[in-house]
Amino acid sequence: MTDAQPRFARLLVTGGAGFIGSCFVRDVLARKDGTLVTVIDKLTYAGNRANLAPVEADPEQAARLRFVEGDISDPTVVGPLVRDVEAVINFAAESHVDRSILDPEAFLRTDVLGVHVLLEACRSEQERNARGERAAAPRFLQVSTDEVYGSVETGESHENDRLEPRSPYSSAKAGGELLARSYFVTYGLDVVITRGSNTYGPYHHPEKLIPLFVTNAIDDKQLPLYGDGLQRRDWLYVSDHAGAIGHVLEQGVSGETYNVAGNNERTNRDVVTTLLHQLDKPWTLVRRVEDRPGHDRRYAMDSSKLASLGWTNKMPFETGLAATVDWYLQNQDWWRSIKAGEWQDYYERQYGARLAGSTDAG
Ligand code: NAD
Ligand code: TDX
């Protein structure tokens, strides 16, 4: 045990077998401060028990992790789990914009209705607390995204800006966080919300830009760049994102929303140039393909509110990208097994016609 005791000793982490959720779980358990973590994860195509392997390899950490395979939209599973914890951190989501364009319904089920089920379970616990049946009401942290602001052509989004989501994914995420906020306003539930920017790092599912391009490039496969590739994203290393969420969990003011920026704004072309350089692969792998419909041109957020809470990111982009590229080179079993199975159908549906009609990317 360390000296600094965390505010919450028992956590329910939803989506803890996904990319950012598993990083949060690995980092919290590695603190070795006695925190107990229950993960609920549906193990969709994006969930992977192997993401928690480092925890399960350490008996002390493994003893403090309980894994439940289940759906956050199922109140019979969620209710008893929330009863046992002091805080709920909701990472669980359908998270890929392109899949939301192909098939939006799953996004509404998990990213909106699933949030509702979790909030209702927290509200029941708040009522138990009011009856003296538990020591405190649970805190609920909703992990949201910069995409709820929509495309930001200039300047930076602030927490009170209007939400203008433009894809089924970001609209569902906006719905989920607005619902969470309404439970603070209406029922006085202890709710905090984070809006993170584009996250990258180890264990990132290969459907997303950086891991898709790194793993395709390792195999000398084509890299499908949408449109002119001059869209801009602000890149945040995964352990910085998970750390910021932990900081807001501990320090965030109830009812407040916090932007988590990366402060590493790059065009997609810049990102691809850097990762190809790190892999020593040629630009000729890159193909210009038909753009994503409704493609947001740029995201950028101001995160001085989070800074004033005492949080700063640690990882510079080029260092983080080099560590990420190295991780994909060293962990080929991890991504090659994902790229078998369901992946093949998805890849054909998303990229088959696009690559067939692709042109030189300049
Ligand atoms: P991910 O797709 O890698 O992981 C999502 C996890 O949720 C998976 O393990 C999946 O099995 C699980 N899940 C999906 N539906 C579920 C359900 N109904 N019940 C239980 N578990 C379910 O996503 P990620 O990139 O780790 O994102 C985590 C969260 O962070 C999401 O809420 C996402 O919207 C948000 N976010 C992501 C980014 C990013 O760049 N990746 C940036 C900002 C915010
Ligand atoms: O094949 C591709 N080609 C391409 O040009 C893919 C997959 C992406 N892109 C472009 C689209 C975007 O401009 O790269 C950029 C990044 O795309 P994604 O990795 O799909 O991320 P994005 O759409 O920006 O959303 C991400 O950040 C915010 C996460 O997937 C979301 O979960 C998070 O909320």
Side-chain angles (χ1 to χ4, degrees):
M1 305 271 276
T2 58
D3 291 343
Q5 281 305 300
R7 180 170 160 196
F8 304 103
R10 284 172 292 135
L11 308 179
L12 178 62
V13 179
T14 75
F19 168 48
I20 309 171
S22 70
C23 178
F24 180 85
V25 172
R26 291 190 305 272
D27 289 357
V28 164
L29 291 172
R31 294 191 314 226
K32 303 220 173 197
D33 59 12
T35 304
L36 301 175
V37 175
T38 300
V39 166
I40 175 173
D41 198 296
K42 190 179 173 183
L43 296 180
T44 66
Y45 78 92
N48 192 343
R49 283 294 293 265
N51 296 0
L52 295 169
V55 167
E56 279 155 5
D58 176 337
E60 192 280 332
Q61 294 184 48
R64 289 184 288 115
L65 172 68
R66 178 180 170 211
F67 185 89
V68 177
E69 184 174 343
D71 189 330
I72 59 163
S73 313
D74 183 347
T76 63
V77 179
V78 164
L81 298 180
V82 175
R83 183 167 282 216
D84 276 349
V85 298
E86 296 165 359
V88 178
I89 305 97
N90 182 30
F91 290 93
E94 291 291 337
S95 70
H96 192 34
V97 174
D98 290 328
R99 292 194 195 243
S100 84
I101 294 167
L102 294 171
D103 183 11
E105 196 173 319
F107 289 72
L108 299 182
R109 285 189 198 290
T110 294
D111 301 10
V112 183
L113 296 177
V115 178
H116 171 68
V117 169
L118 292 169
L119 289 166
E120 277 296 307
C122 289
R123 190 157 80 91
S124 294
E125 291 310 297
Q126 184 189 35
E127 286 168 0
R128 287 185 62 235
N129 172 244
R131 294 195 299 270
E133 291 168 21
R134 57 178 282 160
R139 165 160 272 207
F140 182 82
L141 188 150
Q142 172 64 11
V143 179
S144 190
T145 168
D146 60 357
E147 301 202 14
V148 298
Y149 293 114
S151 192
V152 184
E153 305 300 316
T154 55
E156 295 180 326
S157 303
H158 294 77
E159 285 83 352
N160 289 331
D161 286 358
R162 215 167 71 165
L163 303 189
E164 297 185 82
R166 290 155 35 89
S167 72
Y169 163 69
S170 54
S171 302
K173 288 297 292 183
E177 71 156 87
L178 289 174
L179 201 58
R181 186 177 136 73
S182 81
Y183 272 62
F184 166 76
V185 174
T186 307
Y187 304 113
L189 206 70
D190 181 8
V191 170
V192 281
I193 296 166
T194 58
R195 294 186 185 136
S197 63
N198 273 67
T199 306
Y200 72 102
Y203 300 98
H204 201 186
H205 192 282
E207 68 191 354
K208 308 286 170 41
L209 174 75
I210 289 178
L212 177 69
F213 279 31
V214 169
T215 57
N216 276 12
I218 289 171
D219 284 344
D220 297 309
K221 288 194 174 138
Q222 295 181 317
L223 311 182
L225 189 66
Y226 295 155
D228 62 9
L230 295 175
Q231 304 84 5
R232 305 180 78 88
R233 297 290 184 267
D234 173 28
W235 294 97
L236 172 65
Y237 195 64
V238 63
S239 54
D240 277 335
H241 193 169
I245 288 167
H247 194 78
V248 171
L249 180 69
E250 294 272 314
Q251 311 276 343
V253 175
S254 197
E256 294 295 319
T257 300
Y258 297 89
N259 289 343
V260 186
N263 300 315
N264 294 298
E265 188 179 331
R266 302 282 189 282
T267 66
N268 292 341
R269 277 181 178 264
D270 285 343
V271 170
V272 176
T273 302
T274 308
L275 70 83
L276 284 173
H277 177 72
Q278 290 175 346
L279 281 165
D280 197 21
K281 296 284 183 177
W283 178 263
T284 49
L285 289 175
V286 183
R287 301 294 298 170
R288 179 178 177 139
V289 301
E290 184 193 332
D291 209 347
R292 171 185 283 175
H295 197 166
D296 289 338
R297 196 71 179 161
R298 175 174 177 265
Y299 306 127
M301 293 187 295
D302 174 283
S303 63
S304 47
K305 185 174 172 183
L306 178 61
S308 68
L309 211 59
W311 174 260
T312 42
N313 293 334
K314 296 185 183 66
M315 186 63 91
F317 181 67
E318 275 68 24
T319 315
L321 191 60
T324 303
V325 165
D326 190 52
W327 188 87
Y328 282 88
L329 284 167
Q330 301 303 322
N331 291 274
Q332 299 201 19
D333 289 352
W334 183 89
W335 56 265
R336 288 193 190 283
S337 66
I338 294 172
K339 281 190 162 187
E342 180 271 347
W343 171 263
Q344 311 273 353
D345 289 344
Y346 166 72
Y347 199 80
E348 179 52 32
R349 210 170 151 208
Q350 181 62 22
Y351 296 108
R354 276 192 166 88
L355 283 169
S358 67
T359 57
D360 191 83

